[in-house]
C-alpha cells in the first residue's frame, strides 16, 4: 500500500507524526524502525547509534539517534521501555534504513513492567493510513529508496 510513493504497512503501529513504526514480537518485545517518510526526508543515512542494552528509557527519551547527510536527530520513543538490543545489521550498514525501511529495524525494546496498554499511544490500521497519507499530501513528500 502506498501514498504518493511512500510505502505504508497497516499492520504496524505508528507515532502520530509517522516518523517511526513499531512491531510486536510473539514474546511481547517491540521492534522500532523508521518509516518510509522519515528515511526519505532524512536522505542517505550515514550513522545509527542505539542506547546501551539494559538502559531504561522513559517515554519522550529517544531509543537511538540517526545521522544522515542533511539531518541528525533522535528516534522517538513513546513508552517507558528497556533497550534490549540494536540491530547489528543496521548498525553495520545504516543505509539499510533507506533501502528497506520496514525490514530494517533499529532497536528492540521491552515495555516497562506493568504497562498493559502501551500500544494505545500508537496509531494503526485505517486510522494510521489516513494520518500517514494526509501528512504525505500536506507536505508533498515524495518517497525514494536509495
Amino acid at each position: 500500500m502506498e501514498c504518493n510513493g511512500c510505502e505504508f504497512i497497516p499492520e504496524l503501529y505508528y507515532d502520530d507524526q509517522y516518523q517511526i513504526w513499531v512491531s510486536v514480537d510473539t514474546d511481547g518485545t517491540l521492534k522500532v524502525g523508521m518509516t518510509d517518510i522519515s528515511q526519505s526526508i532524512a536522505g542517505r543515512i550515514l550513522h545509527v547509534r542505539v542506547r546501551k542494552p539494559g538502559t531504561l528509557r522513559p517515554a519522550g527519551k529517544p531509543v537511538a539517534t540517526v545521522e544522515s547527510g542533511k539531518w541528525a536527530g533522535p528516534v522517538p520513543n513513546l513508552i517507558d521501555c528497556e533497550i534490549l538490543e540494536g540491530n547489528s545489521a543496521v548498525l553495520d550498514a545504516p543505509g539499510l534504513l533507506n533501502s528497506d525501511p520496514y525490514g530494517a529495524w533499529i532497536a528492540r525494546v521491552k515495555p516497562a513492567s506493568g504497562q498493559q496498554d502501551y500500544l494505545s499511544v500508537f496509531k494503526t490500521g485505517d486510522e494510521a493510513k489516513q494520518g500517514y497519507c494526509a501528512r504525505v499530501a500536506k507536505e508533498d513528500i515524495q518517497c525514494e529508496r536509495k
Side-chain angles (χ1 to χ4, degrees), residues 68-138:
S68 72
K70 59 182 180 181
W71 177 83
V75 174
N77 172 37
L78 303 185
I79 63 169
D80 295 342
C81 65
E82 176 185 350
I83 305 294
L84 296 178
E85 66 177 324
N87 183 347
S88 60
V90 166
L91 297 175
D92 291 343
L96 289 172
L97 295 174
N98 295 115
S99 61
D100 187 13
Y102 297 105
W105 51 274
I106 297 170
R108 194 166 64 90
V109 303
K110 177 181 171 184
S113 62
Q115 213 172 2
Q116 301 297 318
D117 62 345
Y118 59 87
L119 290 174
S120 66
V121 299
F122 296 98
K123 297 183 182 306
T124 191
D126 288 340
E127 178 188 21
K129 180 185 171 201
Q130 290 175 355
Y132 188 92
C133 292
R135 180 172 179 207
V136 167
K138 180 179 178 185

